[in-house]
Amino acid sequence: MLKAGKRLGVVFFPAYDWSISPTHPEREERLLYTQDQLKEEGLFDTEGVREYKPKVASREDVERVHFCFPDVDAVATRSHLISAGGAMTAAGLVMEGERDRAFALVRPPGHHAMKVVHGSRGFCNINIEAVMIEWVRENYGPKRIAVVDTDCHHGDGTQDIYWHDPDVLFISLHQDGRTLYPGTGFPRDCGGPKAMGRTVNIPLPPGTADEGFLMVMERVVMPILEDFKPELVINSAGQDNHFSDPITNMNFSAQGYARLSEMLKPDIAVLEGGYSIQGALPYVNLGICLAMAGLDYSCVREPQYDPKALAQEPRLSEYIKELCDLVPGVYFHPPAESPDGFEAKGWFVRHKDIFYDTDGINEAQTESLLLCDHCRGLVKYESRSSKNPPCLGLDLPIKACDRCRDMAYKILEESQIKGGYRYLQLINRKDRDYLRYGF
Amino acid sequence: MILGIDVGGTHTDAVAVDLGSGRIAAACKVPTDHEDLLSSIVAALTDILGQVDKASVSQLNLSTTLATNAIVQGKTEDVGLLVSAGPGIDPDNYMLCRDYHVLPGAIDHRGFETRRLDPGELDRAVAACRGHGCRVFAAVGKFSVRNPVHENAIRRQVNKSGPADFVTAGHELGGRLNFPRRIATAYFNCAVWRLYNTFADAVHEALDRLGLGHVAVNVLKADGGTSPFVLSRRLPVQSIFSGPAASVMGIIALCDINFDSIILDIGGTTTDIAVFASGAPLVEHDGIHIGSHPTLVRALKVRSIGIGGDSAVYVIGDLVRVGPNRLGPCLAAGGRHPTLTDALNCIGACAHGDVQASQQGLAAFAQERSLSREALAQKAVDFAARAIKDEVRDLVREINERPVYTIHELLEGQRIVPRKIYIMGGPAQAMRQAVFQAFSLSVEVPGEAAVANAVGAALTRITRGIELFADTEKGAMFIPALGHRENVPRTYGLKDAERDIKNQLLGHLAELGAPADASAFQITQASCFNMVKDAALSGKNIRVKCQITPGVVRTLRR
């Protein structure tokens, strides 16, 4: 009989009654064949592998992370709350020691959802990893966490949320932004002034195959993780680097994904994108489950896998080698100044123009970090969009100093008196004070 | 008149139930001879036929441990197990027997053949099995329930070199997805086939001798239903572990169960716990384990805990425990170690056997541990009731936390909240008060519980569960259990599938000479997914499951 080397919990929730639209890639059918494959393989009969039902994230769980304008209900449906809840369930299994590792095989995804949310971008409304991470920190104390995003698209939402957080290391492997949505994620983008080098972007050229991904894992990701020493490793396990994915251009395989998981040893994996629902997902998900459970995955092969056709071109290998020489410097020797933004009156300010492709919304945002010598600093978000009038969000981190806290309440009070913002929201993680006005 | 026989571990119980009046016309209990089950059945039948007119008997329902014993005692036959696995978990993990051959070939989750079966390898594998003397074969393919082409090819090849005695094709075991379970189920089905059929022949001969040749024979299954003998000859594996089902169905026949309820069958060694949702017994989601092998054999959800009348009473520090060891018989029946029954005797909950022996023995036992006899007895009974309660709570929680796959079910799904407890078995009446106190729920002990299992066997209706899978892009519909495959138009929809599966199931049972009550027909799962190719609708993927719901043909009148 098969017995897992690591006790694995799989939170499987395919949301068979929810879609963005009937023929949208994010539709009911997406995880159907994955479930067929996992069932047919008898995965959940394997000793040490168990399936779990997700919990539902509450409004509070979302508002611990996001500024949702006009409110949570307007931007997140029940399916989003369940998919975030599924990630929380997975994390709970690991934090409580019930399982060694857990995989939240849930939809819809979340890694394009940024700190401020006006709607859906890249099929994402709320960032399910971030909701999970902040739930873990709320219930199990502040943690040093590494998020390794292996979705083919740059995890710009997760990057945005943790841009100023030095305790969260965000590493994203993705298809070069010059060739794919969302068009961001270059090595120069390495974090805010208080978290320089804690965002590591690795843009890979179209056509990158197993060889290239595994080289990046070995030469860039693993050495950085070894140095950072996270208490939790989270994998945003998007599966659209697969050679059969309809909306990307990579040549990664199920074997490659399984090997990647075996190297990374994530405590928690969370499904992100991946829309080759028949040719890739059944095999990639099986491979990841087996690898996470410490089981043999050598016989997991896509029927259409052709090693010759999928071999990596030599010039790509050369390019990726150079990338592997260059990228670790982002973490080990970050630049002195943050590349994006400027200092003004004790604040570090960035302007962002954000397009919500799924919902067709334009947002103009000013993000200001209070430059503080005692903590990582209060962050202020001033945002307006084609959907909402000016809104204000204030984010006070768990380890904030008193000065930053006083400043947060002062700004909140002044903004209320002066008006000018339709919605105001304060996230005070230090004292667990969450306030909303104008809702 | 229906006869019900339950061949149990110690006794073989039999009843004759008059269908018209709903009364027990005759009942008997004979010892079970494990070396010769048929003789026990004949003895029970002879006893019953002494009480009722054989001409009035129309049906015999039989619950037997034959297949179970054969497997437990290893009295099985060598099987040639031929599998087509394709990509996934290494199929070498499922090697169940010597003649196990993994053949190159693959079917994918949609039922497309992605790699053809290698005829040369198949030829060699069959020859090797034959060389080892295999006369029964199992043909099992991954995703064969989507497309049985490989299993059918294996069967043809097996029969080409002279017909095999018996071949089980995996898809005939039902449409559920689980390749390792399909392998194990097909294997065990073959391994007990000959023994079971020899037994079936002997039963028919015996019935002829007894003048019951005209009687229709059905066999109990673990899922709380029966199967016509002709069908169970092809699917003998379904007859294993039918014992608990007989008892549970007996309760249904004896009581009118409407609510979410708990059934406790307290025996000598164990207490079996079953759960009813709105009056219907819950069936195990997957299937039972045979040894360490999970199978596709459906069974009622029954959990056993090591607490029964003969469970030993222990004192560990301040804690008084009962079970899980059986050190019976109890003192009252001449045993040497105090058991739960002795404790029940001491608190006056019952007067089983030699009550004085219980009292004296328990008093001595208590004194050695500086406890009073009454306190020890009460603590032992309370412990037993509490242990049962904890197990019930875990079981109900497990059922309520079973994964679901739609938002609707997750947020609005039905939860089980037990409102009533039914107790049966030897110590049922004696445990009633303790169970009531532990659960604070209404407790009922049905009368005539002593032969409830045989009553259950007699009155259980024929059940069958089948699955349909349709893919309108391929233009095909398939019901694996019936081996029924037909072409369907692109307009084929969920309603068509629900109609077809019903007709097919009812037709199939009628063909077996066992027409089912259409009112017991139930669609248990129905889903329809749009399949999209290049951003356009390419077809529908339809899955329907149905069953004849487990139940009794009538309840017993008291």
Side-chain angles (χ1 to χ4, degrees):
Chain A
M1 280 302 291
L2 275 176
K3 186 172 188 293
K6 294 280 173 189
R7 292 170 306 154
L8 174 69
V10 180
V11 182
F12 183 76
F13 193 74
Y16 283 147
D17 50 356
W18 182 85
S19 67
I20 290 181
S21 75
T23 56
H24 194 280
E26 196 50 72
R27 65 179 178 274
E28 296 90 341
E29 188 195 3
R30 185 170 167 230
L31 290 176
L32 182 65
Y33 310 108
T34 291
Q35 186 181 35
D36 284 356
Q37 191 77 36
L38 298 186
K39 274 180 152 179
E40 179 69 353
E41 297 292 345
L43 181 71
F44 300 118
D45 286 334
T46 306
E47 196 182 335
V49 182
R50 233 183 105 177
E51 188 183 358
Y52 292 85
K53 182 172 164 176
K55 62 174 114 196
V56 185
S58 66
R59 200 193 72 196
E60 288 72 22
D61 293 323
V62 178
E63 290 189 336
R64 202 177 287 132
V65 177
H66 287 296
F67 299 109
C68 295
F69 298 122
D71 59 21
V72 173
D73 289 344
V75 299
T77 66
R78 296 188 301 178
S79 62
H80 299 104
L81 297 176
I82 295 169
S83 119
M88 284 157 50
T89 306
L93 291 172
V94 173
M95 298 310 296
E96 294 293 337
E98 185 171 338
R99 298 276 121 182
D100 299 320
R101 295 173 183 168
F103 185 10
L105 206 37
V106 296
R107 58 176 283 266
H111 75 148
H112 293 304
M114 296 182 165
K115 188 78 190 174
V116 176
V117 180
H118 288 270
S120 178
R121 49 190 309 279
F123 317 161
C124 302
N125 294 46
I126 56 174
N127 194 301
I128 59 178
E129 287 91 345
V131 171
M132 170 184 87
I133 290 169
E134 297 314 316
W135 177 82
V136 167
R137 287 172 152 182
E138 185 84 356
N139 291 288
Y140 302 95
K143 298 267 174 205
R144 264 170 96 74
I145 290 171
V147 180
V148 179
D149 188 323
T150 51
D151 189 280
C152 193
H153 302 88
H154 176 224
D156 54 351
T158 315
Q159 169 176 303
D160 182 70
I161 291 169
Y162 291 110
W163 186 255
H164 295 297
D165 188 340
D167 294 325
V168 173
L169 169 66
F170 176 67
I171 304 176
S172 180
L173 284 71
H174 49 264
Q175 185 175 326
D176 196 309
R178 290 167 292 190
T179 63
L180 189 72
Y181 178 88
T184 53
F186 299 98
R188 67 183 289 275
D189 307 322
C190 61
K194 288 292 168 73
M196 297 285 282
R198 295 295 153 86
T199 295
V200 179
N201 283 307
I202 312 167
L204 296 166
T208 302
D210 291 10
E211 188 194 331
F213 277 98
L214 298 178
M215 181 191 279
V216 169
M217 285 301 294
E218 200 182 312
R219 292 190 47 198
V220 183
V221 179
M222 297 320 291
I224 293 177
L225 286 179
E226 210 164 287
D227 182 82
F228 184 70
K229 295 185 177 55
E231 291 164 89
L232 273 181
V233 176
I234 291 154
N235 181 203
S236 290
Q239 308 184 350
D240 37 9
N241 286 301
H242 195 263
F243 62 84
S244 65
D245 198 273
I247 57 178
T248 62
N249 315 92
M250 301 301 239
N251 279 342
F252 207 28
S253 74
Q255 280 291 314
Y257 265 109
R259 174 73 188 124
L260 183 152
S261 300
E262 192 179 33
M263 292 169 80
L264 185 61
K265 300 180 184 68
D267 298 292
I268 304 152
V270 179
L271 178 67
E272 279 294 331
Y275 299 96
S276 170
I277 63 175
Q278 293 191 32
L281 264 60
Y283 308 101
V284 174
N285 280 317
L286 177 63
I288 292 177
C289 286
L290 292 177
M292 284 184 76
L295 290 161
D296 167 56
Y297 55 81
S298 59
C299 299
V300 181
R301 263 287 176 234
E302 307 83 343
Q304 71 275 44
Y305 181 79
D306 177 355
K308 272 194 207 117
L310 294 170
Q312 192 169 284
E313 282 178 49
R315 63 186 183 94
L316 288 187
S317 304
E318 281 308 310
Y319 178 87
I320 294 167
K321 246 184 229 162
E322 284 173 32
L323 210 57
C324 290
D325 294 335
L326 180 87
V327 175
V330 169
Y331 171 84
F332 288 106
H333 314 286
E337 282 180 18
S338 184
D340 193 12
F342 54 91
E343 252 188 79
K345 296 179 191 163
W347 294 83
F348 184 83
V349 182
R350 288 202 293 168
H351 290 302
K352 293 181 258 180
D353 288 315
I354 300 159
F355 179 56
Y356 293 70
D357 59 311
T358 310
D359 279 353
I361 299 168
N362 283 297
E363 179 196 356
Q365 189 194 102
T366 304
E367 174 204 280
S368 314
L369 170 77
L370 182 58
L371 292 168
C372 176
D373 295 332
H374 306 289
C375 70
R376 60 173 249 218
L378 167 73
V379 190
K380 180 172 78 173
Y381 298 86
E382 293 158 286
S383 163
R384 66 197 304 166
S385 73
S386 48
K387 204 177 132 203
N388 291 304
C391 310
L392 176 72
L394 293 163
D395 187 26
L396 194 68
I398 293 181
K399 295 178 198 160
C401 67
D402 290 346
R403 177 187 158 233
C404 282
R405 174 171 51 189
D406 294 347
M407 181 64 98
Y409 284 94
K410 190 175 151 227
I411 295 171
L412 191 67
E413 197 183 332
E414 280 173 5
S415 307
Q416 275 182 287
I417 295 166
K418 280 191 203 154
Y421 296 112
R422 174 66 184 81
Y423 302 109
L424 293 92
Q425 187 179 337
L426 167 71
I427 298 176
N428 175 356
R429 298 298 306 283
K430 188 179 168 69
D431 314 297
R432 300 185 181 185
D433 188 19
Y434 305 96
L435 299 173
R436 302 188 306 162
Y437 298 97
F439 291 89
Chain B
M1 196 92 69
I2 298 187
L3 305 187
I5 298 183
D6 178 31
V7 182
T10 333
H11 291 110
T12 294
D13 297 339
V15 294
V17 180
D18 184 65
L19 270 185
S21 68
R23 287 181 201 283
I24 294 177
C28 78
K29 220 181 226 317
V30 300
T32 298
D33 178 356
H34 285 283
E35 294 308 308
D36 185 3
L37 292 179
L38 186 67
S39 75
S40 312
I41 294 170
V42 169
L45 278 174
T46 311
D47 189 320
I48 295 286
L49 291 181
Q51 305 173 52
V52 301
D53 174 18
K54 58 182 68 165
S56 66
V57 177
S58 61
Q59 191 180 324
L60 166 64
N61 286 357
L62 186 61
S63 166
T64 149
T65 51
L66 182 86
T68 317
N69 289 351
I71 290 166
V72 172
Q73 294 161 9
K75 290 180 188 163
T76 52
E77 179 174 0
D78 284 343
V79 179
L81 184 44
L82 306 167
V83 307
S84 134
I89 294 175
D90 187 349
D92 283 347
N93 287 303
Y94 310 124
M95 187 171 205
L96 270 167
C97 56
R98 182 190 54 186
D99 297 290
Y100 178 79
H101 298 270
V102 177
L103 305 166
I107 305 275
D108 78 358
H109 43 81
R110 282 279 301 280
F112 290 112
E113 184 179 51
T114 54
R115 184 173 176 190
R116 295 192 49 192
L117 203 59
D118 183 328
E121 291 265 349
L122 174 55
D123 227 11
R124 279 190 288 280
V126 173
C129 295
R130 294 253 184 206
H132 280 147
C134 293
R135 291 160 67 198
V136 291
F137 293 83
V140 186
K142 190 177 279 182
F143 287 114
S144 66
V145 297
R146 297 280 188 261
N147 181 352
V149 60
H150 288 173
E151 288 181 355
N152 292 340
I154 294 170
R155 167 178 279 171
R156 274 197 306 278
Q157 186 61 35
V158 165
N159 284 324
K160 215 162 107 186
S161 47
D165 289 354
F166 181 63
V167 181
T168 301
H171 65 273
E172 296 165 347
L173 301 165
R176 280 179 297 150
L177 292 171
N178 197 315
F179 180 55
R181 283 179 187 256
R182 195 174 306 125
I183 293 175
T185 315
Y187 166 77
F188 286 114
N189 199 50
C190 285
V192 300
W193 173 83
R194 192 178 310 276
L195 189 84
Y196 188 86
N197 275 270
T198 309
F199 172 76
D201 291 341
V203 168
H204 274 299
E205 270 172 42
L207 289 176
D208 277 341
R209 272 201 314 276
L210 291 166
L212 290 175
H214 61 285
V215 166
V217 182
N218 296 325
V219 178
L220 233 80
K221 299 180 292 177
D223 70 352
T226 62
S227 172
F229 222 175
V230 277
L231 183 60
S232 81
R233 279 170 173 263
R234 294 208 310 264
L235 294 170
V237 73
Q238 288 192 338
S239 72
I240 62 173
F241 301 135
S242 60
S247 306
V248 171
M249 299 316 286
I251 281 276
I252 305 185
L254 293 170
C255 313
D256 229 353
I257 300 178
N258 295 313
F259 306 111
D260 291 355
S261 315
I262 301 294
I263 312 295
L264 303 176
D265 183 358
I266 307 178
T269 319
T270 58
T271 295
D272 289 344
I273 303 164
V275 181
F276 278 52
S278 320
L282 284 186
V283 173
E284 188 76 56
H285 191 56
D286 297 314
I288 47 180
H289 283 60
I290 299 178
S292 61
H293 303 286
T295 72
L296 292 170
V297 178
R298 278 157 53 98
L300 293 184
K301 195 158 189 87
V302 175
R303 168 92 52 101
S304 279
I305 167 173
I307 287 188
D310 291 341
S311 295
V313 174
Y314 300 99
V315 179
I316 303 158
D318 290 343
L319 190 69
V320 178
R321 291 181 58 94
V322 177
N325 283 24
R326 177 183 190 274
L327 283 178
C330 53
L331 300 171
R336 291 180 169 182
H337 191 95
T339 71
L340 179 61
T341 302
D342 295 312
L344 288 165
N345 264 347
C346 286
I347 64 165
C350 64
H352 180 88
D354 183 352
V355 177
Q356 222 179 355
S358 292
Q359 287 171 344
Q360 284 167 0
L362 208 65
F365 186 80
Q367 201 172 16
E368 282 167 32
R369 289 155 184 84
S370 26
L371 280 163
S372 81
R373 186 188 78 199
E374 288 71 20
L376 177 67
Q378 192 60 52
K379 279 187 176 171
V381 173
D382 290 346
F383 177 88
R386 225 178 21 252
I388 292 170
K389 187 198 170 184
D390 290 346
E391 197 66 28
V392 167
R393 198 187 47 210
D394 280 356
L395 180 61
V396 170
R397 185 189 304 146
E398 186 188 301
I399 292 165
N400 285 334
E401 284 179 6
R402 196 170 71 75
V404 293
Y405 305 112
T406 60
I407 295 166
H408 178 79
E409 283 174 286
L410 187 74
L411 300 179
E412 276 128 68
Q414 202 190 344
R415 290 179 61 82
I416 291 184
V417 183
R419 291 176 195 281
K420 191 153 181 180
I421 313 236
Y422 296 89
I423 318 182
M424 56 197 290
Q429 193 63 46
M431 282 294 290
R432 181 190 183 134
Q433 187 59 27
V435 168
F436 170 70
Q437 276 167 356
F439 283 86
S440 303
L441 286 175
S442 157
V443 177
E444 186 174 332
V445 179
E448 295 171 289
V451 288
N453 49 342
V455 171
L459 295 174
T460 297
R461 74 162 75 103
I462 288 175
T463 60
R464 184 103 160 96
I466 60 170
E467 296 85 3
L468 176 151
F469 175 74
D471 185 325
T472 66
E473 190 187 356
K474 295 168 80 181
M477 175 270 265
F478 183 41
I479 302 177
L482 307 183
H484 178 84
R485 205 172 152 82
E486 70 178 81
N487 294 336
V488 293
R490 292 189 59 85
T491 52
Y492 193 75
L494 195 56
K495 283 276 165 283
D496 302 307
E498 290 182 0
R499 181 202 60 224
D500 284 351
I501 197 172
K502 182 173 183 179
N503 290 341
Q504 288 292 337
L505 178 60
L506 297 180
H508 159 74
L509 290 174
E511 239 170 67
L512 291 171
D517 178 3
S519 68
F521 175 86
Q522 185 191 19
I523 301 270
T524 49
Q525 200 182 313
S527 53
C528 178
F529 294 89
N530 286 337
M531 294 190 289
V532 176
K533 205 182 205 169
D534 304 327
L537 206 63
S538 63
K540 288 192 287 284
N541 191 305
I542 299 169
R543 290 118 190 256
V544 182
K545 279 187 191 178
C546 72
Q547 65 170 359
I548 303 294
T549 321
V552 290
V553 290
R554 70 155 299 156
T555 53
L556 211 61
R557 190 175 300 158
R558 281 182 279 162

